[in-house]
Amino acid sequence: MRTKPIIIIAFTALLITSCIKDYVGHVGNKIELTSDNYLYEGHLYRVYLDQEVAKLDVTIATLQDIIANNQADQTTLEDLKEAEQAKEIFISEGATIKSLGQVGRIIPQPRPPCPQPRNCDFTALEFVLAASTIEKLEILILDANGKTVGGGVIDNLRPLSGTGGQIKFSELKVDSYEDPISISVRVFDVNGIARSYILENQ
């Protein structure tokens, strides 16, 4: 007679436990992404690389003009070679960045990463995405005086559902700022290799 209530109670407890587990461990990975509510570290890094290539193009053109006007010395030639090699490295590095269009899940393309354009409205920002090879991030939002006004260390990246384990995500919420800002990024991959860069307001 008492067996039935015990079985019902045990079954109910099992259902509740399963639901909690699903909510915490699985549903949390099924986030909704819009063009405004996430940053992708790969996009930030690509913008940085493009900025550096543009700067090198100016340097290379200037050095080539000096050479063309027969005003070059050995240092000029060495500087040109270094600039051309650095440009090749940046372009090669950019080619390794995983596109979100390659991960199997349809993800809306974000607007150009702030600070390009200068509208740095982060009110809708909720998440940061990163490649699966990244273990930890530090994203700092800096104001015009270099003071940190948002972001921080992100070490709880977890797999984003629907991407076959290729993309991780975490929460990232900051306020809206009207002042010109820059974004400082430090990336630590699963092998402990770090890289850092700063996106400056152009």
Side-chain angles (χ1 to χ4, degrees):
M1 296 289 292
R2 302 181 66 182
T3 306
K4 243 181 176 181
I6 292 172
I7 291 173
I8 292 171
I9 291 169
F11 183 69
T12 304
L14 181 63
L15 278 178
I16 292 171
T17 303
S18 298
C19 288
I20 291 172
K21 183 179 178 183
D22 283 343
Y23 179 76
V24 174
H26 301 290
V27 177
N29 292 350
K30 296 179 181 178
I31 61 173
E32 182 178 347
L33 297 172
T34 70
S35 295
D36 293 315
N37 75 348
Y38 77 96
L39 292 177
Y40 174 43
E41 190 278 327
H43 288 158
L44 298 178
Y45 193 37
R46 184 175 297 282
V47 171
Y48 164 76
L49 292 173
D50 288 346
Q51 288 179 354
E52 293 303 302
V53 168
K55 292 175 186 176
L56 287 168
D57 282 339
V58 173
T59 300
I60 290 169
T62 300
L63 293 171
Q64 288 175 336
D65 285 343
I66 293 172
I67 294 169
N69 292 324
N70 297 316
Q71 297 175 333
D73 56 17
Q74 187 60 34
T75 301
T76 308
L77 298 175
E78 291 173 358
D79 288 346
L80 177 60
K81 183 177 179 181
E82 287 180 8
E84 290 174 337
Q85 289 175 342
K87 179 180 176 179
E88 288 179 10
I89 290 171
F90 285 134
I91 292 173
S92 176
E93 185 74 8
T96 66
I97 298 172
K98 185 175 292 295
S99 167
L100 291 179
Q102 302 172 322
V103 300
R105 171 178 171 173
I106 297 176
I107 299 176
Q109 287 297 311
R111 59 182 177 163
C114 184
Q116 287 186 332
R118 294 193 178 200
N119 176 19
C120 298
D121 186 353
F122 285 126
T123 51
L125 191 63
E126 295 183 71
F127 308 105
V128 59
L129 274 54
S132 60
T133 53
I134 294 174
E135 185 146 327
K136 183 169 69 172
L137 286 170
E138 180 186 69
I139 297 181
L140 300 178
I141 312 299
L142 310 173
D143 67 11
N145 299 315
K147 178 183 176 183
T148 300
V149 293
V153 174
I154 301 162
D155 56 6
N156 62 339
L157 292 162
R158 51 202 185 274
L160 178 64
S161 67
T163 65
Q166 298 181 75
I167 298 294
K168 296 178 180 178
F169 81 99
S170 184
E171 290 73 24
L172 178 68
K173 294 184 181 180
V174 296
D175 294 329
S176 177
Y177 303 103
E178 296 179 0
D179 292 338
I181 67 168
S182 57
I183 302 176
S184 173
V185 183
R186 295 182 70 199
V187 179
F188 302 86
D189 71 14
V190 291
N191 298 314
I193 299 172
R195 58 177 164 82
S196 59
Y197 56 95
I198 294 180
L199 278 178
E200 297 176 340
N201 200 327
Q202 299 293 300

